Short mmCIF file of all heavy atoms in Angstrom, two decimals:
data_model
loop_
_atom_site.label_atom_id
_atom_site.label_comp_id
_atom_site.label_asym_id
_atom_site.label_seq_id
_atom_site.Cartn_x
_atom_site.Cartn_y
_atom_site.Cartn_z
N ARG A 1 0.83 -1.19 0.00
CA ARG A 1 0.00 0.00 0.00
C ARG A 1 0.87 1.25 0.00
O ARG A 1 1.97 1.24 0.52
CB ARG A 1 -0.89 0.03 1.23
CG ARG A 1 -1.99 -1.00 1.19
CD ARG A 1 -2.89 -0.81 2.37
NE ARG A 1 -3.94 -1.77 2.26
CZ ARG A 1 -5.17 -1.55 2.61
NH1 ARG A 1 -5.51 -0.41 3.15
NH2 ARG A 1 -6.09 -2.46 2.46
N LEU A 2 0.31 2.31 -0.53
CA LEU A 2 1.02 3.57 -0.57
C LEU A 2 0.44 4.49 0.49
O LEU A 2 -0.78 4.63 0.60
CB LEU A 2 0.86 4.22 -1.95
CG LEU A 2 1.33 3.38 -3.13
CD1 LEU A 2 0.97 4.07 -4.43
CD2 LEU A 2 2.81 3.13 -3.05
N TYR A 3 1.28 5.11 1.28
CA TYR A 3 0.81 6.00 2.33
C TYR A 3 1.56 7.32 2.26
O TYR A 3 2.70 7.38 1.84
CB TYR A 3 1.03 5.39 3.71
CG TYR A 3 0.19 4.18 3.97
CD1 TYR A 3 0.69 2.91 3.75
CD2 TYR A 3 -1.12 4.31 4.41
CE1 TYR A 3 -0.09 1.79 3.97
CE2 TYR A 3 -1.90 3.20 4.65
CZ TYR A 3 -1.38 1.94 4.43
OH TYR A 3 -2.16 0.83 4.64
N ILE A 4 0.90 8.37 2.73
CA ILE A 4 1.58 9.66 2.86
C ILE A 4 1.83 9.91 4.34
O ILE A 4 1.38 9.16 5.20
CB ILE A 4 0.78 10.79 2.19
CG1 ILE A 4 -0.66 10.84 2.70
CG2 ILE A 4 0.78 10.63 0.69
CD1 ILE A 4 -1.48 11.97 2.10
N ALA A 5 2.52 10.96 4.66
CA ALA A 5 3.02 11.21 6.02
C ALA A 5 1.96 11.14 7.11
O ALA A 5 2.20 10.62 8.17
CB ALA A 5 3.74 12.55 6.07
N ASN A 6 0.77 11.64 6.86
CA ASN A 6 -0.24 11.66 7.92
C ASN A 6 -1.12 10.40 7.92
O ASN A 6 -2.20 10.40 8.49
CB ASN A 6 -1.10 12.92 7.83
CG ASN A 6 -1.85 13.02 6.52
OD1 ASN A 6 -1.79 12.13 5.69
ND2 ASN A 6 -2.57 14.11 6.34
N ASP A 7 -0.67 9.35 7.27
CA ASP A 7 -1.33 8.04 7.21
C ASP A 7 -2.63 8.03 6.43
O ASP A 7 -3.37 7.07 6.47
CB ASP A 7 -1.57 7.46 8.61
CG ASP A 7 -0.27 7.07 9.30
OD1 ASP A 7 0.68 6.74 8.58
OD2 ASP A 7 -0.23 7.11 10.52
N GLU A 8 -2.95 9.10 5.71
CA GLU A 8 -4.10 9.06 4.83
C GLU A 8 -3.69 8.34 3.55
O GLU A 8 -2.57 8.47 3.08
CB GLU A 8 -4.56 10.47 4.47
CG GLU A 8 -5.21 11.21 5.62
CD GLU A 8 -5.69 12.59 5.19
OE1 GLU A 8 -5.87 12.81 3.98
OE2 GLU A 8 -5.87 13.43 6.07
N VAL A 9 -4.60 7.57 3.00
CA VAL A 9 -4.32 6.86 1.77
C VAL A 9 -4.74 7.74 0.60
O VAL A 9 -5.92 8.09 0.50
CB VAL A 9 -5.06 5.51 1.73
CG1 VAL A 9 -4.76 4.78 0.44
CG2 VAL A 9 -4.68 4.66 2.93
N PRO A 10 -3.81 8.12 -0.28
CA PRO A 10 -4.17 8.98 -1.39
C PRO A 10 -4.96 8.21 -2.45
O PRO A 10 -4.80 7.01 -2.60
CB PRO A 10 -2.81 9.42 -1.94
CG PRO A 10 -1.89 8.31 -1.58
CD PRO A 10 -2.41 7.78 -0.26
N ASP A 11 -5.83 8.91 -3.17
CA ASP A 11 -6.55 8.29 -4.28
C ASP A 11 -5.61 8.12 -5.46
O ASP A 11 -4.76 8.97 -5.72
CB ASP A 11 -7.73 9.17 -4.72
CG ASP A 11 -8.86 9.18 -3.72
OD1 ASP A 11 -8.94 8.25 -2.89
OD2 ASP A 11 -9.67 10.12 -3.76
N MET A 12 -5.77 7.01 -6.17
CA MET A 12 -5.01 6.78 -7.40
C MET A 12 -5.72 7.54 -8.51
O MET A 12 -6.95 7.61 -8.54
CB MET A 12 -4.98 5.30 -7.75
CG MET A 12 -4.24 4.47 -6.76
SD MET A 12 -2.49 4.82 -6.89
CE MET A 12 -1.85 3.42 -6.02
N ASN A 13 -4.96 8.11 -9.42
CA ASN A 13 -5.52 8.85 -10.54
C ASN A 13 -4.77 8.50 -11.82
O ASN A 13 -3.61 8.12 -11.78
CB ASN A 13 -5.41 10.37 -10.30
CG ASN A 13 -6.28 10.82 -9.16
OD1 ASN A 13 -7.49 10.71 -9.24
ND2 ASN A 13 -5.67 11.30 -8.10
N VAL A 14 -5.46 8.68 -12.95
CA VAL A 14 -4.85 8.47 -14.26
C VAL A 14 -4.62 9.83 -14.90
O VAL A 14 -5.54 10.65 -15.00
CB VAL A 14 -5.76 7.61 -15.17
CG1 VAL A 14 -5.11 7.40 -16.52
CG2 VAL A 14 -6.08 6.27 -14.51
N ASP A 15 -3.39 10.09 -15.31
CA ASP A 15 -3.03 11.35 -15.95
C ASP A 15 -3.39 11.28 -17.43
O ASP A 15 -2.78 10.53 -18.19
CB ASP A 15 -1.53 11.60 -15.78
CG ASP A 15 -1.07 12.92 -16.37
OD1 ASP A 15 -1.85 13.59 -17.07
OD2 ASP A 15 0.10 13.28 -16.12
N PRO A 16 -4.39 12.05 -17.88
CA PRO A 16 -4.81 11.99 -19.28
C PRO A 16 -3.74 12.46 -20.26
O PRO A 16 -3.77 12.11 -21.44
CB PRO A 16 -6.04 12.89 -19.34
CG PRO A 16 -5.95 13.76 -18.15
CD PRO A 16 -5.17 13.01 -17.10
N LYS A 17 -2.76 13.22 -19.79
CA LYS A 17 -1.68 13.67 -20.67
C LYS A 17 -0.68 12.55 -20.95
O LYS A 17 -0.01 12.56 -21.97
CB LYS A 17 -0.97 14.87 -20.05
CG LYS A 17 -1.84 16.10 -19.98
CD LYS A 17 -1.11 17.24 -19.32
CE LYS A 17 -2.05 18.44 -19.18
NZ LYS A 17 -1.45 19.51 -18.40
N ARG A 18 -0.56 11.60 -20.03
CA ARG A 18 0.38 10.50 -20.21
C ARG A 18 -0.26 9.26 -20.82
O ARG A 18 0.41 8.46 -21.46
CB ARG A 18 1.03 10.14 -18.88
CG ARG A 18 1.88 11.27 -18.33
CD ARG A 18 2.72 10.76 -17.20
NE ARG A 18 3.67 9.78 -17.68
CZ ARG A 18 4.97 10.00 -17.84
NH1 ARG A 18 5.46 11.16 -17.55
NH2 ARG A 18 5.76 9.05 -18.27
N CYS A 19 -1.57 9.08 -20.60
CA CYS A 19 -2.28 7.91 -21.11
C CYS A 19 -2.68 8.15 -22.56
O CYS A 19 -3.44 9.08 -22.84
CB CYS A 19 -3.52 7.64 -20.26
SG CYS A 19 -4.47 6.20 -20.82
N PRO A 20 -2.22 7.32 -23.50
CA PRO A 20 -2.51 7.56 -24.91
C PRO A 20 -3.97 7.27 -25.28
O PRO A 20 -4.46 7.77 -26.29
CB PRO A 20 -1.58 6.61 -25.64
CG PRO A 20 -1.30 5.53 -24.68
CD PRO A 20 -1.34 6.16 -23.32
N GLN A 21 -4.69 6.49 -24.47
CA GLN A 21 -6.09 6.17 -24.71
C GLN A 21 -6.35 5.64 -26.11
O GLN A 21 -7.35 5.95 -26.74
CB GLN A 21 -6.97 7.40 -24.44
CG GLN A 21 -6.80 7.94 -23.03
CD GLN A 21 -7.46 9.29 -22.86
OE1 GLN A 21 -8.60 9.46 -23.25
NE2 GLN A 21 -6.75 10.23 -22.26
N ASN A 22 -5.43 4.83 -26.62
CA ASN A 22 -5.62 4.24 -27.94
C ASN A 22 -5.53 2.71 -27.88
O ASN A 22 -5.31 2.06 -28.89
CB ASN A 22 -4.60 4.80 -28.94
CG ASN A 22 -3.17 4.47 -28.54
OD1 ASN A 22 -2.92 3.84 -27.53
ND2 ASN A 22 -2.23 4.93 -29.33
N HIS A 23 -5.68 2.18 -26.67
CA HIS A 23 -5.61 0.74 -26.48
C HIS A 23 -6.31 0.38 -25.17
O HIS A 23 -6.62 1.25 -24.37
CB HIS A 23 -4.15 0.28 -26.44
CG HIS A 23 -3.38 0.85 -25.29
ND1 HIS A 23 -2.86 2.13 -25.29
CD2 HIS A 23 -3.07 0.33 -24.07
CE1 HIS A 23 -2.25 2.35 -24.14
NE2 HIS A 23 -2.37 1.28 -23.38
N GLY A 24 -6.54 -0.90 -24.98
CA GLY A 24 -7.07 -1.36 -23.71
C GLY A 24 -6.03 -1.16 -22.61
O GLY A 24 -4.85 -1.39 -22.82
N CYS A 25 -6.47 -0.71 -21.47
CA CYS A 25 -5.55 -0.42 -20.37
C CYS A 25 -4.98 -1.72 -19.79
O CYS A 25 -5.73 -2.54 -19.26
CB CYS A 25 -6.28 0.36 -19.29
SG CYS A 25 -5.30 0.67 -17.81
N PRO A 26 -3.67 -1.93 -19.89
CA PRO A 26 -3.09 -3.16 -19.37
C PRO A 26 -3.12 -3.26 -17.85
O PRO A 26 -3.06 -4.36 -17.30
CB PRO A 26 -1.64 -3.14 -19.90
CG PRO A 26 -1.36 -1.71 -20.18
CD PRO A 26 -2.67 -1.07 -20.52
N ALA A 27 -3.24 -2.14 -17.16
CA ALA A 27 -3.25 -2.17 -15.69
C ALA A 27 -4.54 -2.79 -15.15
O ALA A 27 -4.57 -3.25 -14.01
CB ALA A 27 -3.07 -0.76 -15.14
N ILE A 28 -5.59 -2.82 -15.96
CA ILE A 28 -6.86 -3.42 -15.52
C ILE A 28 -6.65 -4.88 -15.13
O ILE A 28 -7.21 -5.36 -14.15
CB ILE A 28 -7.93 -3.30 -16.63
CG1 ILE A 28 -8.33 -1.83 -16.79
CG2 ILE A 28 -9.14 -4.15 -16.32
CD1 ILE A 28 -9.26 -1.57 -17.96
N ARG A 29 -5.82 -5.58 -15.88
CA ARG A 29 -5.60 -7.01 -15.65
C ARG A 29 -4.91 -7.31 -14.32
O ARG A 29 -5.04 -8.41 -13.80
CB ARG A 29 -4.77 -7.61 -16.79
CG ARG A 29 -5.46 -7.58 -18.12
CD ARG A 29 -4.71 -8.39 -19.17
NE ARG A 29 -3.30 -8.03 -19.28
CZ ARG A 29 -2.79 -7.18 -20.16
NH1 ARG A 29 -3.59 -6.57 -21.01
NH2 ARG A 29 -1.51 -6.92 -20.20
N VAL A 30 -4.14 -6.38 -13.79
CA VAL A 30 -3.38 -6.66 -12.57
C VAL A 30 -4.06 -6.17 -11.29
O VAL A 30 -3.59 -6.47 -10.19
CB VAL A 30 -1.95 -6.09 -12.64
CG1 VAL A 30 -1.18 -6.71 -13.80
CG2 VAL A 30 -1.94 -4.58 -12.72
N CYS A 31 -5.15 -5.45 -11.41
CA CYS A 31 -5.84 -4.94 -10.22
C CYS A 31 -6.52 -6.10 -9.49
O CYS A 31 -7.42 -6.73 -10.04
CB CYS A 31 -6.86 -3.87 -10.59
SG CYS A 31 -7.73 -3.21 -9.15
N PRO A 32 -6.12 -6.37 -8.26
CA PRO A 32 -6.68 -7.52 -7.54
C PRO A 32 -8.13 -7.34 -7.08
O PRO A 32 -8.79 -8.31 -6.71
CB PRO A 32 -5.75 -7.68 -6.34
CG PRO A 32 -5.20 -6.32 -6.10
CD PRO A 32 -5.09 -5.69 -7.47
N VAL A 33 -8.63 -6.10 -7.11
CA VAL A 33 -10.00 -5.85 -6.64
C VAL A 33 -10.89 -5.27 -7.75
O VAL A 33 -11.98 -4.79 -7.47
CB VAL A 33 -10.00 -4.93 -5.39
CG1 VAL A 33 -9.36 -5.62 -4.21
CG2 VAL A 33 -9.33 -3.61 -5.68
N ASN A 34 -10.41 -5.28 -8.99
CA ASN A 34 -11.18 -4.78 -10.14
C ASN A 34 -11.66 -3.35 -9.95
O ASN A 34 -12.81 -3.03 -10.23
CB ASN A 34 -12.36 -5.70 -10.44
CG ASN A 34 -11.91 -7.08 -10.83
OD1 ASN A 34 -10.98 -7.23 -11.61
ND2 ASN A 34 -12.53 -8.09 -10.26
N ALA A 35 -10.76 -2.50 -9.48
CA ALA A 35 -11.11 -1.10 -9.24
C ALA A 35 -10.96 -0.22 -10.48
O ALA A 35 -11.39 0.92 -10.46
CB ALA A 35 -10.24 -0.53 -8.12
N ILE A 36 -10.36 -0.76 -11.54
CA ILE A 36 -10.13 0.04 -12.75
C ILE A 36 -11.10 -0.38 -13.84
O ILE A 36 -11.26 -1.58 -14.10
CB ILE A 36 -8.68 -0.13 -13.27
CG1 ILE A 36 -7.68 0.15 -12.16
CG2 ILE A 36 -8.43 0.78 -14.47
CD1 ILE A 36 -6.25 -0.18 -12.53
N SER A 37 -11.73 0.60 -14.46
CA SER A 37 -12.64 0.32 -15.58
C SER A 37 -12.27 1.23 -16.74
O SER A 37 -11.59 2.24 -16.57
CB SER A 37 -14.09 0.52 -15.17
OG SER A 37 -14.31 1.86 -14.78
N GLN A 38 -12.73 0.83 -17.92
CA GLN A 38 -12.43 1.62 -19.13
C GLN A 38 -13.55 1.40 -20.13
O GLN A 38 -13.92 0.27 -20.41
CB GLN A 38 -11.09 1.18 -19.71
CG GLN A 38 -10.66 1.98 -20.92
CD GLN A 38 -9.32 1.51 -21.47
OE1 GLN A 38 -8.96 0.35 -21.35
NE2 GLN A 38 -8.60 2.42 -22.09
N GLU A 39 -14.08 2.48 -20.66
CA GLU A 39 -15.09 2.42 -21.71
C GLU A 39 -14.38 2.50 -23.06
O GLU A 39 -13.75 3.52 -23.35
CB GLU A 39 -16.07 3.59 -21.57
CG GLU A 39 -16.87 3.58 -20.29
CD GLU A 39 -18.18 2.84 -20.44
OE1 GLU A 39 -18.65 2.71 -21.58
OE2 GLU A 39 -18.70 2.38 -19.41
N GLY A 40 -14.43 1.45 -23.83
CA GLY A 40 -13.74 1.44 -25.12
C GLY A 40 -12.26 1.70 -24.92
O GLY A 40 -11.61 1.05 -24.12
N TYR A 41 -11.73 2.68 -25.65
CA TYR A 41 -10.34 3.08 -25.48
C TYR A 41 -10.23 4.40 -24.73
O TYR A 41 -9.24 5.12 -24.83
CB TYR A 41 -9.64 3.21 -26.83
CG TYR A 41 -9.39 1.90 -27.53
CD1 TYR A 41 -9.46 1.80 -28.90
CD2 TYR A 41 -9.09 0.75 -26.81
CE1 TYR A 41 -9.22 0.60 -29.55
CE2 TYR A 41 -8.86 -0.44 -27.44
CZ TYR A 41 -8.93 -0.52 -28.82
OH TYR A 41 -8.69 -1.71 -29.43
N GLY A 42 -11.27 4.74 -23.98
CA GLY A 42 -11.26 5.99 -23.23
C GLY A 42 -10.32 5.94 -22.04
O GLY A 42 -9.65 4.95 -21.77
N LEU A 43 -10.27 7.03 -21.32
CA LEU A 43 -9.40 7.14 -20.15
C LEU A 43 -9.85 6.16 -19.08
O LEU A 43 -11.02 6.14 -18.70
CB LEU A 43 -9.45 8.57 -19.60
CG LEU A 43 -8.46 8.90 -18.49
CD1 LEU A 43 -7.04 8.90 -19.04
CD2 LEU A 43 -8.79 10.25 -17.88
N PRO A 44 -8.95 5.32 -18.58
CA PRO A 44 -9.31 4.41 -17.50
C PRO A 44 -9.72 5.19 -16.25
O PRO A 44 -9.23 6.28 -15.99
CB PRO A 44 -8.02 3.63 -17.24
CG PRO A 44 -7.22 3.78 -18.48
CD PRO A 44 -7.58 5.12 -19.03
N VAL A 45 -10.65 4.62 -15.51
CA VAL A 45 -11.15 5.25 -14.30
C VAL A 45 -10.88 4.32 -13.12
O VAL A 45 -11.13 3.11 -13.20
CB VAL A 45 -12.67 5.52 -14.41
CG1 VAL A 45 -13.21 6.08 -13.11
CG2 VAL A 45 -12.96 6.45 -15.56
N ILE A 46 -10.34 4.88 -12.04
CA ILE A 46 -10.07 4.10 -10.84
C ILE A 46 -11.11 4.46 -9.79
O ILE A 46 -11.23 5.62 -9.40
CB ILE A 46 -8.65 4.36 -10.31
CG1 ILE A 46 -7.63 3.99 -11.39
CG2 ILE A 46 -8.40 3.56 -9.04
CD1 ILE A 46 -6.21 4.35 -11.06
N ASN A 47 -11.86 3.48 -9.34
CA ASN A 47 -12.89 3.70 -8.33
C ASN A 47 -12.23 3.76 -6.96
O ASN A 47 -11.75 2.75 -6.45
CB ASN A 47 -13.92 2.56 -8.39
CG ASN A 47 -15.05 2.76 -7.42
OD1 ASN A 47 -14.94 3.46 -6.42
ND2 ASN A 47 -16.17 2.12 -7.71
N PRO A 48 -12.21 4.94 -6.32
CA PRO A 48 -11.52 5.08 -5.03
C PRO A 48 -12.21 4.31 -3.90
O PRO A 48 -11.59 4.01 -2.89
CB PRO A 48 -11.55 6.58 -4.76
CG PRO A 48 -12.70 7.09 -5.56
CD PRO A 48 -12.79 6.20 -6.77
N ASP A 49 -13.50 3.98 -4.08
CA ASP A 49 -14.20 3.22 -3.05
C ASP A 49 -13.82 1.74 -3.07
O ASP A 49 -14.02 1.04 -2.09
CB ASP A 49 -15.71 3.35 -3.23
CG ASP A 49 -16.19 4.77 -3.01
OD1 ASP A 49 -15.58 5.48 -2.18
OD2 ASP A 49 -17.17 5.17 -3.67
N VAL A 50 -13.26 1.28 -4.18
CA VAL A 50 -12.87 -0.12 -4.32
C VAL A 50 -11.35 -0.29 -4.22
O VAL A 50 -10.86 -1.28 -3.69
CB VAL A 50 -13.38 -0.69 -5.67
CG1 VAL A 50 -12.94 -2.12 -5.87
CG2 VAL A 50 -14.90 -0.58 -5.76
N CYS A 51 -10.61 0.69 -4.72
CA CYS A 51 -9.14 0.64 -4.76
C CYS A 51 -8.55 0.47 -3.35
O CYS A 51 -8.94 1.15 -2.41
CB CYS A 51 -8.61 1.92 -5.39
SG CYS A 51 -6.81 2.01 -5.48
N ILE A 52 -7.61 -0.47 -3.24
CA ILE A 52 -6.93 -0.70 -1.96
C ILE A 52 -5.52 -0.11 -1.96
O ILE A 52 -4.75 -0.33 -1.05
CB ILE A 52 -6.88 -2.20 -1.61
CG1 ILE A 52 -6.15 -3.00 -2.70
CG2 ILE A 52 -8.28 -2.74 -1.36
CD1 ILE A 52 -5.89 -4.46 -2.36
N ASN A 53 -5.18 0.63 -3.01
CA ASN A 53 -3.86 1.30 -3.13
C ASN A 53 -2.69 0.34 -2.99
O ASN A 53 -1.69 0.67 -2.36
CB ASN A 53 -3.75 2.45 -2.14
CG ASN A 53 -4.65 3.60 -2.48
OD1 ASN A 53 -5.10 3.72 -3.63
ND2 ASN A 53 -4.94 4.45 -1.53
N CYS A 54 -2.80 -0.82 -3.63
CA CYS A 54 -1.70 -1.78 -3.57
C CYS A 54 -0.53 -1.35 -4.45
O CYS A 54 0.59 -1.79 -4.25
CB CYS A 54 -2.19 -3.17 -3.97
SG CYS A 54 -2.71 -3.31 -5.70
N GLY A 55 -0.79 -0.51 -5.46
CA GLY A 55 0.28 0.00 -6.32
C GLY A 55 0.60 -0.86 -7.51
O GLY A 55 1.48 -0.51 -8.30
N LYS A 56 -0.09 -1.98 -7.70
CA LYS A 56 0.21 -2.84 -8.84
C LYS A 56 -0.02 -2.13 -10.17
O LYS A 56 0.76 -2.28 -11.11
CB LYS A 56 -0.62 -4.12 -8.77
CG LYS A 56 -0.17 -5.06 -7.69
CD LYS A 56 -0.96 -6.34 -7.71
CE LYS A 56 -0.46 -7.26 -6.60
NZ LYS A 56 -1.14 -8.55 -6.64
N CYS A 57 -1.09 -1.35 -10.25
CA CYS A 57 -1.38 -0.63 -11.49
C CYS A 57 -0.30 0.41 -11.79
O CYS A 57 0.05 0.63 -12.95
CB CYS A 57 -2.76 0.02 -11.43
SG CYS A 57 -2.96 1.22 -10.09
N VAL A 58 0.23 1.02 -10.76
CA VAL A 58 1.27 2.04 -10.93
C VAL A 58 2.51 1.43 -11.57
O VAL A 58 3.07 1.98 -12.52
CB VAL A 58 1.64 2.69 -9.57
CG1 VAL A 58 2.81 3.64 -9.73
CG2 VAL A 58 0.44 3.41 -8.99
N THR A 59 2.92 0.27 -11.08
CA THR A 59 4.13 -0.35 -11.62
C THR A 59 3.88 -1.02 -12.96
O THR A 59 4.80 -1.18 -13.75
CB THR A 59 4.70 -1.38 -10.63
OG1 THR A 59 3.71 -2.36 -10.33
CG2 THR A 59 5.13 -0.73 -9.35
N PHE A 60 2.64 -1.40 -13.26
CA PHE A 60 2.34 -2.12 -14.49
C PHE A 60 2.03 -1.20 -15.67
O PHE A 60 2.18 -1.60 -16.82
CB PHE A 60 1.18 -3.09 -14.27
CG PHE A 60 1.10 -4.17 -15.29
CD1 PHE A 60 1.97 -5.24 -15.26
CD2 PHE A 60 0.15 -4.12 -16.29
CE1 PHE A 60 1.91 -6.24 -16.20
CE2 PHE A 60 0.07 -5.13 -17.24
CZ PHE A 60 0.95 -6.18 -17.20
N CYS A 61 1.59 0.03 -15.41
CA CYS A 61 1.24 0.95 -16.50
C CYS A 61 2.48 1.30 -17.32
O CYS A 61 3.43 1.90 -16.78
CB CYS A 61 0.61 2.23 -15.93
SG CYS A 61 0.23 3.45 -17.20
N PRO A 62 2.51 0.96 -18.62
CA PRO A 62 3.71 1.22 -19.41
C PRO A 62 3.98 2.70 -19.65
O PRO A 62 5.12 3.09 -19.93
CB PRO A 62 3.42 0.50 -20.73
CG PRO A 62 1.95 0.42 -20.82
CD PRO A 62 1.46 0.32 -19.40
N MET A 63 2.95 3.53 -19.54
CA MET A 63 3.12 4.97 -19.78
C MET A 63 3.33 5.75 -18.48
O MET A 63 3.44 6.97 -18.50
CB MET A 63 1.90 5.52 -20.51
CG MET A 63 1.61 4.82 -21.84
SD MET A 63 3.02 4.73 -22.95
CE MET A 63 3.18 6.44 -23.41
N LYS A 64 3.34 5.05 -17.35
CA LYS A 64 3.48 5.68 -16.03
C LYS A 64 2.43 6.78 -15.85
O LYS A 64 2.71 7.85 -15.31
CB LYS A 64 4.89 6.26 -15.83
CG LYS A 64 6.00 5.24 -16.06
CD LYS A 64 5.87 4.08 -15.11
CE LYS A 64 7.00 3.08 -15.31
NZ LYS A 64 6.59 1.72 -15.03
N ALA A 65 1.21 6.48 -16.28
CA ALA A 65 0.12 7.45 -16.23
C ALA A 65 -0.70 7.35 -14.94
O ALA A 65 -1.56 8.18 -14.70
CB ALA A 65 -0.81 7.26 -17.43
N ILE A 66 -0.45 6.32 -14.14
CA ILE A 66 -1.21 6.15 -12.91
C ILE A 66 -0.35 6.53 -11.72
O ILE A 66 0.77 6.07 -11.57
CB ILE A 66 -1.71 4.70 -12.77
CG1 ILE A 66 -2.56 4.31 -13.98
CG2 ILE A 66 -2.50 4.53 -11.47
CD1 ILE A 66 -2.99 2.86 -13.99
N ALA A 67 -0.90 7.37 -10.88
CA ALA A 67 -0.18 7.80 -9.67
C ALA A 67 -1.17 8.06 -8.55
O ALA A 67 -2.32 8.26 -8.76
CB ALA A 67 0.63 9.04 -9.94
#
């Protein structure tokens, strides 16, 4: 899990400037709780209510668009 100094868990976000949105998001396959969704080739969306902030999507995204 990723934590910041005051122990709050930050929400994961997808940077639209880094994500090319021209393919299926490969990070969807590695999310253990299915928190990432994508409509067609649109910008992937991370559901903060489901995300456990394990960081797998961050390390798996080839464009480093998830933080």
Side-chain angles (χ1 to χ4, degrees):
R1 289 185 178 216
L2 302 174
Y3 294 95
I4 54 178
N6 61 3
D7 291 332
E8 289 182 20
V9 180
D11 289 339
M12 295 289 196
N13 293 296
V14 180
D15 182 350
K17 293 178 183 173
R18 295 192 65 105
C19 180
Q21 303 169 48
N22 62 0
H23 63 280
C25 175
I28 291 173
R29 296 190 307 265
V30 299
C31 180
V33 294
N34 297 316
I36 307 172
S37 61
Q38 183 180 29
E39 297 269 337
Y41 290 145
L43 188 68
V45 176
I46 301 173
N47 183 337
D49 295 328
V50 177
C51 179
I52 59 172
N53 291 341
C54 67
K56 288 183 180 184
C57 60
V58 174
T59 57
F60 200 76
C61 177
M63 303 308 291
K64 305 300 182 212
I66 302 174

